[in-house]
PDB file of all heavy atoms in Angstrom:
ATOM      1  N   TYR V 272       3.067   7.930  25.170  1.00  0.00           N
ATOM      2  CA  TYR V 272       1.865   7.450  24.484  1.00  0.00           C
ATOM      3  C   TYR V 272       1.780   5.936  24.681  1.00  0.00           C
ATOM      4  O   TYR V 272       2.585   5.186  24.150  1.00  0.00           O
ATOM      5  CB  TYR V 272       1.928   7.783  22.993  1.00  0.00           C
ATOM      6  CG  TYR V 272       1.546   9.206  22.645  1.00  0.00           C
ATOM      7  CD1 TYR V 272       1.400  10.168  23.643  1.00  0.00           C
ATOM      8  CD2 TYR V 272       1.311   9.581  21.331  1.00  0.00           C
ATOM      9  CE1 TYR V 272       1.041  11.465  23.334  1.00  0.00           C
ATOM     10  CE2 TYR V 272       0.953  10.889  21.012  1.00  0.00           C
ATOM     11  CZ  TYR V 272       0.826  11.823  22.027  1.00  0.00           C
ATOM     12  OH  TYR V 272       0.463  13.108  21.728  1.00  0.00           O
ATOM     13  N   CYS V 273       0.768   5.523  25.432  1.00  0.00           N
ATOM     14  CA  CYS V 273       0.644   4.110  25.777  1.00  0.00           C
ATOM     15  C   CYS V 273       0.457   3.238  24.532  1.00  0.00           C
ATOM     16  O   CYS V 273       0.922   2.108  24.478  1.00  0.00           O
ATOM     17  CB  CYS V 273      -0.542   3.958  26.720  1.00  0.00           C
ATOM     18  SG  CYS V 273      -0.583   2.413  27.553  1.00  0.00           S
ATOM     19  N   CYS V 274      -0.211   3.769  23.514  1.00  0.00           N
ATOM     20  CA  CYS V 274      -0.493   2.956  22.330  1.00  0.00           C
ATOM     21  C   CYS V 274       0.767   2.675  21.517  1.00  0.00           C
ATOM     22  O   CYS V 274       0.800   1.727  20.742  1.00  0.00           O
ATOM     23  CB  CYS V 274      -1.542   3.616  21.442  1.00  0.00           C
ATOM     24  SG  CYS V 274      -1.006   5.165  20.698  1.00  0.00           S
ATOM     25  N   GLN V 275       1.800   3.508  21.694  1.00  0.00           N
ATOM     26  CA  GLN V 275       3.010   3.299  20.908  1.00  0.00           C
ATOM     27  C   GLN V 275       4.161   2.793  21.774  1.00  0.00           C
ATOM     28  O   GLN V 275       4.799   1.809  21.450  1.00  0.00           O
ATOM     29  CB  GLN V 275       3.421   4.610  20.239  1.00  0.00           C
ATOM     30  CG  GLN V 275       2.409   5.022  19.191  1.00  0.00           C
ATOM     31  CD  GLN V 275       3.006   5.984  18.203  1.00  0.00           C
ATOM     32  OE1 GLN V 275       3.442   7.055  18.570  1.00  0.00           O
ATOM     33  NE2 GLN V 275       3.024   5.591  16.937  1.00  0.00           N
ATOM     34  N   GLU V 276       4.426   3.508  22.881  1.00  0.00           N
ATOM     35  CA  GLU V 276       5.550   3.104  23.739  1.00  0.00           C
ATOM     36  C   GLU V 276       5.140   1.942  24.642  1.00  0.00           C
ATOM     37  O   GLU V 276       5.984   1.232  25.179  1.00  0.00           O
ATOM     38  CB  GLU V 276       6.017   4.282  24.584  1.00  0.00           C
ATOM     39  CG  GLU V 276       6.606   5.397  23.738  1.00  0.00           C
ATOM     40  CD  GLU V 276       6.683   6.710  24.491  1.00  0.00           C
ATOM     41  OE1 GLU V 276       7.316   6.752  25.558  1.00  0.00           O
ATOM     42  OE2 GLU V 276       6.099   7.701  24.008  1.00  0.00           O
ATOM     43  N   GLY V 277       3.859   1.754  24.865  1.00  0.00           N
ATOM     44  CA  GLY V 277       3.336   0.659  25.687  1.00  0.00           C
ATOM     45  C   GLY V 277       2.532  -0.275  24.809  1.00  0.00           C
ATOM     46  O   GLY V 277       2.774  -0.285  23.619  1.00  0.00           O
ATOM     47  N   PRO V 278       1.575  -1.005  25.312  1.00  0.00           N
ATOM     48  CA  PRO V 278       1.165  -0.999  26.727  1.00  0.00           C
ATOM     49  C   PRO V 278       2.189  -1.678  27.645  1.00  0.00           C
ATOM     50  O   PRO V 278       2.070  -1.576  28.846  1.00  0.00           O
ATOM     51  CB  PRO V 278      -0.158  -1.757  26.710  1.00  0.00           C
ATOM     52  CG  PRO V 278      -0.126  -2.616  25.488  1.00  0.00           C
ATOM     53  CD  PRO V 278       0.721  -1.896  24.495  1.00  0.00           C
ATOM     54  N   VAL V 279       3.198  -2.360  27.051  1.00  0.00           N
ATOM     55  CA  VAL V 279       4.203  -3.007  27.894  1.00  0.00           C
ATOM     56  C   VAL V 279       5.350  -2.022  28.122  1.00  0.00           C
ATOM     57  O   VAL V 279       5.947  -1.536  27.160  1.00  0.00           O
ATOM     58  CB  VAL V 279       4.741  -4.277  27.207  1.00  0.00           C
ATOM     59  CG1 VAL V 279       5.877  -4.879  28.023  1.00  0.00           C
ATOM     60  CG2 VAL V 279       3.623  -5.285  26.995  1.00  0.00           C
ATOM     61  N   PHE V 280       5.627  -1.715  29.382  1.00  0.00           N
ATOM     62  CA  PHE V 280       6.723  -0.797  29.724  1.00  0.00           C
ATOM     63  C   PHE V 280       7.665  -1.488  30.700  1.00  0.00           C
ATOM     64  O   PHE V 280       7.210  -2.224  31.586  1.00  0.00           O
ATOM     65  CB  PHE V 280       6.194   0.447  30.448  1.00  0.00           C
ATOM     66  CG  PHE V 280       5.342   1.357  29.619  1.00  0.00           C
ATOM     67  CD1 PHE V 280       3.956   1.225  29.624  1.00  0.00           C
ATOM     68  CD2 PHE V 280       5.907   2.367  28.853  1.00  0.00           C
ATOM     69  CE1 PHE V 280       3.148   2.086  28.883  1.00  0.00           C
ATOM     70  CE2 PHE V 280       5.108   3.235  28.108  1.00  0.00           C
ATOM     71  CZ  PHE V 280       3.727   3.092  28.117  1.00  0.00           C
ATOM     72  N   ARG V 281       8.969  -1.182  30.568  1.00  0.00           N
ATOM     73  CA  ARG V 281       9.902  -1.598  31.620  1.00  0.00           C
ATOM     74  C   ARG V 281       9.686  -0.662  32.781  1.00  0.00           C
ATOM     75  O   ARG V 281       9.629   0.562  32.590  1.00  0.00           O
ATOM     76  CB  ARG V 281      11.331  -1.500  31.091  1.00  0.00           C
ATOM     77  CG  ARG V 281      12.079  -2.807  31.242  1.00  0.00           C
ATOM     78  CD  ARG V 281      13.424  -2.728  30.646  1.00  0.00           C
ATOM     79  NE  ARG V 281      14.258  -1.750  31.356  1.00  0.00           N
ATOM     80  CZ  ARG V 281      15.500  -1.449  31.011  1.00  0.00           C
ATOM     81  NH1 ARG V 281      16.063  -2.058  29.992  1.00  0.00           N
ATOM     82  NH2 ARG V 281      16.197  -0.547  31.681  1.00  0.00           N
ATOM     83  N   PHE V 282       9.541  -1.207  34.005  1.00  0.00           N
ATOM     84  CA  PHE V 282       9.096  -0.377  35.117  1.00  0.00           C
ATOM     85  C   PHE V 282      10.062   0.758  35.447  1.00  0.00           C
ATOM     86  O   PHE V 282       9.639   1.829  35.876  1.00  0.00           O
ATOM     87  CB  PHE V 282       8.808  -1.248  36.352  1.00  0.00           C
ATOM     88  CG  PHE V 282       8.154  -0.488  37.456  1.00  0.00           C
ATOM     89  CD1 PHE V 282       6.920   0.124  37.256  1.00  0.00           C
ATOM     90  CD2 PHE V 282       8.771  -0.336  38.683  1.00  0.00           C
ATOM     91  CE1 PHE V 282       6.314   0.857  38.254  1.00  0.00           C
ATOM     92  CE2 PHE V 282       8.170   0.394  39.695  1.00  0.00           C
ATOM     93  CZ  PHE V 282       6.940   0.987  39.479  1.00  0.00           C
ATOM     94  N   ASP V 283      11.365   0.560  35.225  1.00  0.00           N
ATOM     95  CA  ASP V 283      12.304   1.650  35.547  1.00  0.00           C
ATOM     96  C   ASP V 283      12.104   2.843  34.621  1.00  0.00           C
ATOM     97  O   ASP V 283      12.546   3.942  34.919  1.00  0.00           O
ATOM     98  CB  ASP V 283      13.761   1.173  35.489  1.00  0.00           C
ATOM     99  CG  ASP V 283      14.139   0.612  34.129  1.00  0.00           C
ATOM    100  OD1 ASP V 283      13.254   0.069  33.438  1.00  0.00           O
ATOM    101  OD2 ASP V 283      15.315   0.725  33.741  1.00  0.00           O
ATOM    102  N   ARG V 284      11.414   2.622  33.483  1.00  0.00           N
ATOM    103  CA  ARG V 284      11.205   3.732  32.544  1.00  0.00           C
ATOM    104  C   ARG V 284       9.909   4.496  32.828  1.00  0.00           C
ATOM    105  O   ARG V 284       9.711   5.577  32.304  1.00  0.00           O
ATOM    106  CB  ARG V 284      11.180   3.199  31.109  1.00  0.00           C
ATOM    107  CG  ARG V 284      12.514   2.556  30.792  1.00  0.00           C
ATOM    108  CD  ARG V 284      12.701   2.297  29.338  1.00  0.00           C
ATOM    109  NE  ARG V 284      14.070   1.836  29.132  1.00  0.00           N
ATOM    110  CZ  ARG V 284      14.417   0.886  28.283  1.00  0.00           C
ATOM    111  NH1 ARG V 284      13.511   0.309  27.530  1.00  0.00           N
ATOM    112  NH2 ARG V 284      15.673   0.536  28.151  1.00  0.00           N
ATOM    113  N   VAL V 285       8.992   3.924  33.620  1.00  0.00           N
ATOM    114  CA  VAL V 285       7.720   4.631  33.901  1.00  0.00           C
ATOM    115  C   VAL V 285       7.407   4.774  35.379  1.00  0.00           C
ATOM    116  O   VAL V 285       6.512   5.528  35.752  1.00  0.00           O
ATOM    117  CB  VAL V 285       6.500   3.947  33.223  1.00  0.00           C
ATOM    118  CG1 VAL V 285       6.527   4.095  31.724  1.00  0.00           C
ATOM    119  CG2 VAL V 285       6.389   2.485  33.634  1.00  0.00           C
ATOM    120  N   GLY V 286       8.146   4.058  36.226  1.00  0.00           N
ATOM    121  CA  GLY V 286       7.846   4.032  37.668  1.00  0.00           C
ATOM    122  C   GLY V 286       7.811   5.418  38.289  1.00  0.00           C
ATOM    123  O   GLY V 286       7.062   5.672  39.228  1.00  0.00           O
ATOM    124  N   HIS V 287       8.625   6.341  37.747  1.00  0.00           N
ATOM    125  CA  HIS V 287       8.693   7.699  38.311  1.00  0.00           C
ATOM    126  C   HIS V 287       7.539   8.577  37.821  1.00  0.00           C
ATOM    127  O   HIS V 287       7.335   9.671  38.331  1.00  0.00           O
ATOM    128  CB  HIS V 287      10.022   8.349  37.917  1.00  0.00           C
ATOM    129  CG  HIS V 287      10.175   8.491  36.425  1.00  0.00           C
ATOM    130  ND1 HIS V 287      10.428   7.422  35.603  1.00  0.00           N
ATOM    131  CD2 HIS V 287      10.056   9.558  35.615  1.00  0.00           C
ATOM    132  CE1 HIS V 287      10.483   7.835  34.344  1.00  0.00           C
ATOM    133  NE2 HIS V 287      10.247   9.123  34.332  1.00  0.00           N
ATOM    134  N   LEU V 288       6.796   8.123  36.816  1.00  0.00           N
ATOM    135  CA  LEU V 288       5.714   8.948  36.268  1.00  0.00           C
ATOM    136  C   LEU V 288       4.508   8.891  37.191  1.00  0.00           C
ATOM    137  O   LEU V 288       4.033   7.809  37.547  1.00  0.00           O
ATOM    138  CB  LEU V 288       5.304   8.474  34.865  1.00  0.00           C
ATOM    139  CG  LEU V 288       6.392   8.512  33.794  1.00  0.00           C
ATOM    140  CD1 LEU V 288       5.848   8.002  32.465  1.00  0.00           C
ATOM    141  CD2 LEU V 288       6.924   9.939  33.633  1.00  0.00           C
TER     142      LEU V 288
END
Side-chain angles (χ1 to χ4, degrees):
Y272 279 11
C273 195
C274 66
Q275 293 201 300
E276 295 163 57
V279 175
F280 293 94
R281 234 176 64 182
F282 189 60
D283 58 330
R284 299 193 173 141
V285 291
H287 61 287
L288 300 179

